[in-house]
Amino acid sequence: MKTIVLIGLVLAISGVALARDLPEFIHVCKKNEPNLSECIKSSIINLKPQLKTGMPDYKIPSLEPLMLKELTATAGGNLKLKITNAIIHGSSDFLLTKLKANLETLTFIVDVDLPRLSISGNYDVNGRIILLYIRGNGPMQGNFTNSKAFVKIQMKEFKKEDGESYLKVAELKTKIAVVQDGALHLENLFGGDPVLGDAVNNAINSNFNSFVTEIKPTVENAISNAFTDIANGILQQFPFKTLFPES
Ligand SMILES: *[C@@H]1O[C@H](CO)[C@@H](O)[C@H](O)[C@H]1NC(C)=O
Ligand SMILES: *[C@@H]1O[C@H](CO)[C@@H](O)[C@H](O)[C@H]1NC(C)=O
């Protein structure tokens, strides 16, 4: 008995990733489900309460709020943008408007509506946007209403040391289709210059749509990277056949 406890402790401390059974709050979809897409969709909707609070034991982060340590623009271009310690409210109110899953090709297409998102954090920006040169770093806060996003996920199968087959994200692409409206406030622009700071904040807010269009690729990239990490963290715990049993 003591030995078992000791082994358990050693494994827990060393963080060895072991294949595990699915927790009861995940509703399993069989591989040959008549409508697999429908099944996965209702399984995700079922999971909303757990997604809201998060399940650290299963590496499921909390969506309310969703905390992202770093959203960095890796894309080239004229703008460098980094948002750190972002706290996002409203992601748990997501609506799945479409879900298409194909287990032959391992392709998943998900459309989501986000009625209201509010984000706060620290920004660091340098570059040209809506014809303005902006530079600064400090706290930021913003609201976005009625956003629509499309996510396309290409998975691949890989074998772990335990001989089991697992899924991982080969490519995850987020497209922000619509942001109906919003507002943003960047504190401390240009080292705290109040006149320039106010002018740029006003310019951003009165040209919010153009602003969103310009930062979109950056934000899409950052969101895709964040969600790839989250998805892989969850997926590496459960073998493919546990997630999608044959029958
Ligand atoms: C399967 O479910 C999806 C997603 O809910 C739905 O759009 C589609 O019409 C369904 N297909 C069939 C054949 O029932
Ligand atoms: C975002 O919404 C909150 C709550 O309604 C409000 O207090 C805040 O001022 C808004 N932010 C901006 C930048 O307008």
Side-chain angles (χ1 to χ4, degrees):
M1 189 61 195
K2 263 190 185 147
T3 323
I4 294 173
V5 173
L6 195 68
I7 292 172
L9 205 66
V10 169
L11 287 179
I13 292 170
S14 57
V16 172
L18 291 173
R20 55 202 306 197
D21 292 333
L22 275 183
E24 72 288 350
F25 56 78
I26 296 181
H27 164 196
V28 169
C29 294
K30 299 200 171 82
K31 231 176 171 170
N32 59 357
E33 203 81 45
N35 193 335
L36 182 73
S37 300
E38 186 62 50
C39 178
I40 295 176
K41 187 175 171 184
S42 67
S43 178
I44 295 175
I45 292 170
N46 253 302
L47 200 59
K48 267 191 170 183
Q50 282 78 21
L51 291 174
K52 199 166 179 169
T53 56
M55 284 278 163
D57 288 355
Y58 293 94
K59 298 188 181 165
I60 299 174
S62 156
L63 281 187
E64 212 55 76
L66 174 64
M67 317 248 227
L68 297 175
K69 274 206 185 68
E70 189 170 311
L71 290 170
T72 313
T74 45
N78 298 322
L79 185 73
K80 275 191 208 144
L81 174 69
K82 185 160 93 175
I83 295 173
T84 46
N85 299 320
I87 302 177
I88 302 165
H89 284 276
S91 356
S92 72
D93 294 326
F94 71 89
L95 299 168
L96 285 179
T97 50
K98 184 173 136 193
L99 193 147
K100 269 174 92 174
N102 186 332
L103 283 186
E104 300 301 317
T105 58
L106 298 179
T107 311
F108 300 79
I109 292 169
V110 188
D111 294 0
V112 286
D113 277 12
L114 293 155
R116 195 174 182 288
L117 281 180
S118 142
I119 170 169
S120 60
N122 293 300
Y123 76 94
D124 191 334
V125 70
N126 192 348
R128 192 168 282 281
I129 191 158
I130 52 169
L131 305 175
L132 300 166
Y133 166 71
I134 70 174
R135 171 179 58 82
N137 58 74
M140 53 101 28
Q141 202 277 319
N143 302 319
F144 303 86
T145 50
N146 295 330
S147 311
K148 279 184 198 300
F150 307 143
V151 187
K152 187 173 177 199
I153 310 166
Q154 182 61 55
M155 304 271 196
K156 66 176 181 205
E157 251 185 285
F158 77 107
K159 273 212 182 357
K160 281 219 293 210
E161 319 80 72
D162 61 5
E164 296 286 356
S165 191
Y166 289 75
L167 288 178
K168 78 190 270 188
V169 175
E171 187 173 46
L172 186 152
K173 279 193 169 163
T174 309
K175 282 266 154 255
I176 300 171
V178 183
V179 175
Q180 195 189 62
D181 204 1
L184 193 70
H185 186 76
L186 304 175
E187 258 178 65
N188 197 46
L189 277 169
F190 305 99
D193 183 312
V195 178
L196 271 179
D198 281 356
V200 166
N201 273 301
N202 288 337
I204 289 174
N205 286 297
S206 47
N207 298 284
F208 199 71
N209 284 330
S210 326
F211 173 77
V212 167
T213 305
E214 285 195 33
I215 65 162
K216 229 159 68 170
T218 302
V219 175
E220 286 168 344
N221 213 318
I223 293 176
S224 299
N225 290 339
F227 280 99
T228 299
D229 288 349
I230 292 174
N232 281 336
I234 298 172
L235 288 170
Q236 64 158 312
Q237 305 169 72
F238 310 109
F240 191 6
K241 66 169 199 264
T242 307
L243 286 176
F244 299 104
E246 292 290 340
S247 55

